[in-house]
Structures are given as structure tokens and as C-alpha cells.
Amino acid sequence: MKAITLTTITCLVAAALAISSCKKNNSQEVPGPEKGQDAKMLAEFLDSHAKPFEHFSINAAAGGVITTSQGTKFNIPPNVFITAGGAPVTGAVDISIKEIRDVSSMILSDKATVTADGKMLVSFGEFFVKAVQNNQDLGLRPKNDTGKGIMVQVPARPADNVMNGVKEVPMWTGDTTVSVTQHGFNYINQPVTITTQQTITRGVLWNQIQSSYALFNTSSGTMNFRLDSLIRWVNCDGLAAMPNPKTTVMAYFTNHFNNETASSYGGEQPSMLFFKPKNYNTLVKFYNVIMTPPAGKEGFHSYQTSIPVGLEGTFLAISAVNGQFYAEQKTVTISTPAGSDNYSTVSFDLQAVDAATLLSLINSMNSK
């Protein structure tokens, strides 16, 4: 879990309050939407259409096989579950599984497939598994114990061209929150440190699990891996083979960019930008806001020198402004930087859309 220290937040808040207190009270002004409401509206829209958890029950002592609606099999050994105190579990256990296998689900769940250092991943599945008994979260026996974890078989294409016929891919673990520490002073001027958890604006932070891989099984047509822990995101993704020179992409919203995006509202952003490379089950989220832009150049930029020149793909730009959704879907080929520039550009002209149209645009990203 990453930690962020904010040493000046108290001063910034105080300055903002001081500035706002100097403004005249004009009774003729029409109050705008409450700050953060557009971000909340967009987040609630995405969450309401995201893949739900699937729920199962299994006897802990006997084990068994769970098959999800997408055909993924979870082979659960007998006596694999333990309590928080390490005691073996018997009796019925409730299993909850969230499975993300396509780009539209990645957008709706805000789970892009990019490593912590900005590399693109070709996804064969993202998973979150939870086991509960008597309202208590359970764990799995350690890897070196007699329990051998949960074996997972994901329907896959072992001859997928974009993976160049590789037979194994790394396993990754995903963090969705950061620890934020604030330093200040209390009402009697004593130093105070407060640490809170905040949602990551990039959706999820993927880091490789050392010495852990998913293997193609050509006879079963599956990608097989062992799940050694619960209550965390994991995926079986391969690094995308993209040898072309890389560039930084500056993505300009020529209209309807919500400037509250520059601030953090629990990880929610009222303007969002996603990119799907053609023929890759990959989703890149642009979440770095362009700083101090002139009018018409608001928007996002990619990781530095991370997007291959010549790569064809489709962007989906989304904004929520004053309670209205705006969007544009745009297919592009990433251009070579112009002249002495060290970046490439793409611009968006967002149009008003209703919720049904926005959902249709998101779902159509699967075929791009």
C-alpha cells in the first residue's frame, strides 16, 4: 500500500477559506451544484452498471468446485479456509467472487490494466474473492502448509497473437487505496497526525507477485493459476509486446472538462479518459490532470513516454458537468511528436449524452 504525506493541506484549506470569505454575498446569484456532486454522479452511474459479485456456498471440510457465470472454475481443496486467528474452518462458507474479463467491465469497475510503472497489460481476467462464515472474513492456509490454495481455471486463448504464443503470464496484485497522512495542530495547538485511507484515482495499482505465474493449458483451453490469498484484487495478465518508440500523449478536452477533476474526492473524478488499443484486451486510464492549461487544453496526459507511436486504438472521454453527462468516443493512431515536441496530442469535442447512450458507448469499447 502506497503512502502519501500532505504537509501543507492545513495552510491550503485556510487560504481557500480566507479567499472565499472576502467575496460579496450577492442574493441574485444562483447557487451552482454542490462541489463534488458531478464526480459522485459519474461514480454512482459506473458502479450501478458494474459487474456484481456472484455468491456461492461450499462446505469447508469437503471443498468442491465453483463455476462462475463466465465459465471460470475455482477448485477449492478440503480444509483450506482458516479464521483470522489461524484456526481451521468447518461447515458452510459463503464465497463472493467479482470477475472482470472485458474492457467495458474494466471501465465500469474502474480497473484499468496498467502496471504501477505505466506498462500496458493484456488481461485474461481480474478477480476479487472473499470467503465469510458467521460474518467473519476468512483466509487461506499458508502456501507451505498442507492446503495448496485455490486452483483457478480461466477460459483463455493460448494462441492469442498479441501475446506472441507465450505459455505463461505473471500474476499481479491490485491495491485500490492509499494511506494519506496529514500533519497539523489541534485546538490547544498540539501537533496532530491523522492517517486515512483514500481511493486511488487511477482505479487500481497493479504490482507483480514475485514467483507467481498463470500457465496456459492447451488441452483444457484455460489459463491456470493458484489463488493464495483472499480479499484483494489479483489478475493473470501478460505484458503487452509493443516494440515501437514510446511517446507521452496529451489529451485535450476542448469543451466540458470539469475542473474539479484536479482535486480528489475520495478517488472519484467528474471527468475521465480511457484508451483501448486495437486487438488488445487492455484498458489504459489517463488520470494525470494537465496542470495550469490554457482554455481548450484542459484534460489528461499519459505516463511519460509510455504509449507506442503508431498504435491504433479508441479513446472514450467522459465528463459530468452540472448534472449532465458528456462523452466522445474517438478512434486514433498515436502520432509521432511534431517537430521538437516530446509529446503527441489528441483532442476531444464532447457532446451531451443521456445515461443509456453513455452505457452503450462503454459497452461498445469491447469490440474496438
Side-chain angles (χ1 to χ4, degrees):
M1 184 169 293
K2 302 292 183 181
I4 297 175
T5 301
L6 305 178
T7 58
T8 60
I9 189 167
T10 304
C11 295
L12 291 174
V13 172
L17 291 173
I19 292 171
S20 64
S21 67
C22 295
K23 294 182 178 178
K24 292 183 179 180
N25 180 15
N26 187 342
S27 61
Q28 301 302 313
E29 290 181 355
V30 178
E34 183 181 346
K35 197 170 187 180
Q37 286 304 300
D38 287 325
K40 182 179 179 181
M41 180 181 76
L42 181 53
E44 289 178 347
F45 167 80
L46 297 175
D47 186 63
S48 68
H49 296 286
K51 287 280 187 184
F53 277 92
E54 296 184 54
H55 301 283
F56 308 87
S57 182
I58 195 167
N59 185 287
V65 178
I66 288 173
T67 303
T68 69
S69 61
Q70 297 189 70
T72 299
K73 295 183 183 299
F74 289 78
N75 297 277
I76 302 175
N79 304 310
V80 74
F81 297 110
I82 56 174
T83 66
V89 175
T90 60
V93 170
D94 296 319
I95 311 291
S96 299
I97 300 172
K98 179 170 283 195
E99 177 178 9
I100 298 175
R101 297 271 300 282
D102 53 36
V103 167
S104 63
S105 296
M106 296 174 194
I107 294 173
L108 293 168
S109 295
D110 199 13
K111 296 292 178 288
T113 55
V114 178
T115 67
D117 57 354
K119 296 183 177 66
M120 285 185 269
L121 296 169
V122 178
S123 183
F124 294 90
E126 303 174 335
F127 305 90
F128 189 95
V129 181
K130 183 176 182 178
V132 174
Q133 186 182 69
N134 299 325
N135 296 318
Q136 300 296 314
D137 291 332
L138 304 178
L140 299 178
R141 297 171 72 98
K143 285 193 295 183
N144 58 355
D145 205 337
T146 54
K148 297 185 181 301
I150 297 175
M151 296 306 300
V152 184
Q153 294 179 295
V154 186
R157 298 175 298 172
D160 194 325
N161 290 332
V162 299
M163 293 302 298
N164 295 323
V166 299
K167 300 302 181 184
E168 65 180 28
V169 299
M171 291 296 301
W172 307 80
T173 182
D175 216 342
T176 58
T177 60
V178 291
S179 178
V180 178
T181 300
Q182 298 170 279
H183 301 283
F185 294 84
N186 65 9
Y187 72 101
I188 56 173
N189 202 33
Q190 297 297 309
V192 174
T193 297
I194 300 174
T195 300
T196 58
Q197 300 299 310
Q198 293 190 12
T199 305
I200 294 173
T201 54
R202 61 186 294 182
V204 63
L205 186 70
W206 292 113
N207 285 288
Q208 187 173 349
I209 304 173
Q210 295 301 314
S211 303
S212 183
Y213 293 88
L215 306 176
F216 286 115
N217 185 319
T218 55
S219 61
S220 63
T222 59
M223 177 82 80
N224 300 343
F225 66 89
R226 186 174 67 188
L227 186 66
D228 291 317
S229 61
L230 303 177
I231 319 179
R232 66 171 183 174
W233 281 98
V234 297
N235 73 34
C236 46
D237 287 5
L239 288 166
M242 298 181 180
N244 288 12
K246 307 297 192 298
T247 184
T248 302
V249 175
M250 309 300 293
Y252 304 136
F253 284 45
T254 61
N255 57 3
H256 304 305
F257 184 79
N258 192 319
N259 287 314
E260 289 183 9
T261 306
S263 301
S264 175
Y265 299 97
E268 299 168 352
Q269 292 183 299
S271 291
M272 305 176 81
L273 181 64
F274 299 97
F275 176 64
K276 180 194 179 299
K278 184 178 180 180
N279 296 328
Y280 289 81
N281 193 38
T282 299
L283 181 70
V284 179
K285 182 181 182 182
F286 284 44
Y287 68 94
N288 294 299
V289 176
I290 296 172
M291 305 297 290
T292 63
K297 300 296 185 182
E298 297 92 348
F300 302 94
H301 64 83
S302 68
Y303 280 89
Q304 294 296 310
T305 58
S306 65
I307 308 297
V309 172
L311 178 64
E312 185 178 350
T314 301
F315 281 96
L316 179 60
I318 306 171
S319 271
V321 182
N322 296 332
Q324 170 67 55
F325 290 131
Y326 298 88
E328 184 186 12
Q329 187 182 82
K330 187 172 188 177
T331 297
V332 304
T333 299
I334 303 300
S335 62
T336 301
S340 60
D341 290 345
N342 63 350
Y343 61 92
S344 305
T345 65
V346 59
S347 297
F348 301 97
D349 178 20
L350 282 70
Q351 302 298 316
V353 295
D354 58 20
T357 301
L358 179 55
L359 182 60
S360 177
L361 287 171
I362 291 172
N363 286 333
S364 70
M365 292 290 284
N366 290 331
S367 60
K368 299 299 181 181

